[in-house]
Amino acid sequence: MIVWTVANQKGGVGKTTTTVTLGGILAERGKRVLLIDTDPHASLTYYFGIDSEELDNSVFDLFVKRNSMNKEQLLQMLCPTSIDNMDILPATMALATLDRRMGNQGGMGLVLKKAINMLEDEYDYALIDCPPVLGVLMVNALAACERILVPVQTEFLALKGLERMMRTLFLMAKSQKKHYKYTIVPTMFDKRTRASLEAYKELKKVYGDDVWSSVIPVDTKFRDASLEQLVPSMYAPKSRGVFAYNSLLTFVSELDD
């Protein structure tokens, strides 16, 4: 199973849109896809019309039952989506209490990785949507993946948020003696505005080849697709946003071959 984590310590940069769109394209290509929502706001979960507060289990239970969880229990926690080949491990608001309740306990950093390993034969891809906060959940998501996708809105406040994310990756790599592979993905790009053009230029100047050479454009079809609870590639397959994500998927897949 190939595991990608979508992360940034700034909200509103397109993390959930990136997770949903890439997952949808992979599922349409016949891949078995697992989406994992680790954000207490549960935007990814609600995207598919799932009210996680009414569910018996969620990602939170992985941590509560981390010493006793088996594959059968884990499979029962998964929710099907309306998309063929795509399931989701949902989030709940209880995740917001995780650091306070269990953050200092031992063995918390690899809970998600161990769960994903149990599902190795069930899926081809797992995509993890992260909260915009450094804590147990983000640490788990980063430790569980082969590559990190870092969506960054092409405006200057978002660039400051990216600095924090890069610092986090550096510190975690140093402490864990692990090299993180990552790709910075410029999002919400509007070629009509000077702000987007200048922000993209600054991204390339500072981060060079770590920045994907193309961009995800502003596209209202993303919002329309979410209203219909459909992945964008099903709702508007010929939209410029979906075209861009197809290109991103090809690029990242070739990097990891």
Side-chain angles (χ1 to χ4, degrees):
M1 189 196 311
I2 295 171
V3 184
W4 294 334
T5 287
V6 183
N8 193 328
Q9 283 173 252
K10 186 179 186 308
V13 296
K15 292 188 296 293
T16 299
T17 297
T18 296
T19 305
V20 165
T21 309
L22 290 178
I25 295 170
L26 286 165
E28 286 191 282
R29 293 182 182 181
K31 304 297 184 183
R32 299 169 300 167
V33 179
L34 174 64
L35 304 182
I36 301 175
D37 192 352
T38 64
D39 190 339
H41 290 109
S43 296
L44 181 63
T45 302
Y46 287 120
Y47 189 103
F48 294 101
I50 300 168
D51 186 349
S52 57
E53 301 308 313
E54 296 182 355
L55 299 175
D56 293 329
N57 296 288
S58 73
V59 169
F60 182 75
D61 296 277
L62 290 182
F63 294 88
V64 174
K65 304 172 183 176
R66 64 188 181 279
N67 296 320
S68 60
M69 180 70 63
N70 58 44
K71 183 176 179 179
E72 183 177 342
Q73 291 172 313
L74 182 55
L75 287 170
Q76 290 176 354
M77 294 168 61
L78 305 181
C79 296
T81 70
S82 56
I83 313 303
D84 290 342
N85 299 321
M86 182 187 287
D87 297 327
I88 186 169
L89 182 55
T92 60
M93 281 298 295
L95 287 171
T97 69
L98 190 61
D99 282 273
R100 177 170 50 83
R101 292 172 60 176
M102 293 179 243
N104 294 324
Q105 297 179 16
M108 293 292 285
L110 296 174
V111 172
L112 193 54
K113 184 178 178 66
K114 291 175 182 176
I116 289 172
N117 286 343
M118 287 188 206
L119 301 173
E120 178 71 33
D121 297 330
E122 303 294 327
Y123 298 94
D124 302 304
Y125 284 84
L127 279 70
I128 308 171
D129 190 15
C130 279
V133 178
L134 178 59
V136 169
L137 291 162
M138 184 178 284
V139 168
N140 267 265
L142 296 179
C145 69
E146 282 97 39
R147 178 170 296 278
I148 303 157
L149 301 177
V150 188
V152 182
Q153 184 180 359
T154 44
E155 56 95 17
F156 276 95
L157 287 179
L159 300 191
K160 299 303 290 184
L162 178 61
E163 289 178 14
R164 292 195 297 274
M165 188 67 211
M166 292 298 103
R167 198 175 306 122
T168 294
L169 291 181
F170 173 78
L171 293 173
M172 286 189 60
K174 190 174 181 180
S175 66
Q176 297 179 0
K177 296 180 172 58
K178 174 181 176 179
H179 172 68
Y180 287 101
K181 296 189 293 183
Y182 63 89
T183 300
I184 297 169
V185 182
T187 61
M188 304 180 193
F189 182 80
D190 188 344
K191 65 181 180 182
R192 300 168 299 179
T193 66
R194 181 182 171 193
S196 275
L197 295 168
E198 292 294 329
Y200 180 74
K201 188 185 299 182
E202 184 69 12
L203 270 178
K204 292 296 291 182
K205 176 183 174 182
V206 176
Y207 298 103
D209 291 341
D210 292 326
V211 181
W212 178 43
S213 59
S214 190
V215 297
I216 305 298
V218 170
D219 191 340
T220 58
K221 296 298 184 184
F222 291 136
R223 190 182 303 115
D224 295 341
S226 69
L227 287 173
E228 298 297 327
Q229 298 175 354
L230 289 173
V231 294
S233 56
M234 288 185 65
Y235 179 80
K238 295 183 179 180
S239 66
R240 58 185 180 176
V242 170
F243 179 83
Y245 274 112
N246 267 292
S247 298
L248 175 63
L249 181 57
T250 298
F251 173 79
V252 177
S253 298
E254 289 175 352
L255 283 179
D256 292 339
D257 272 350

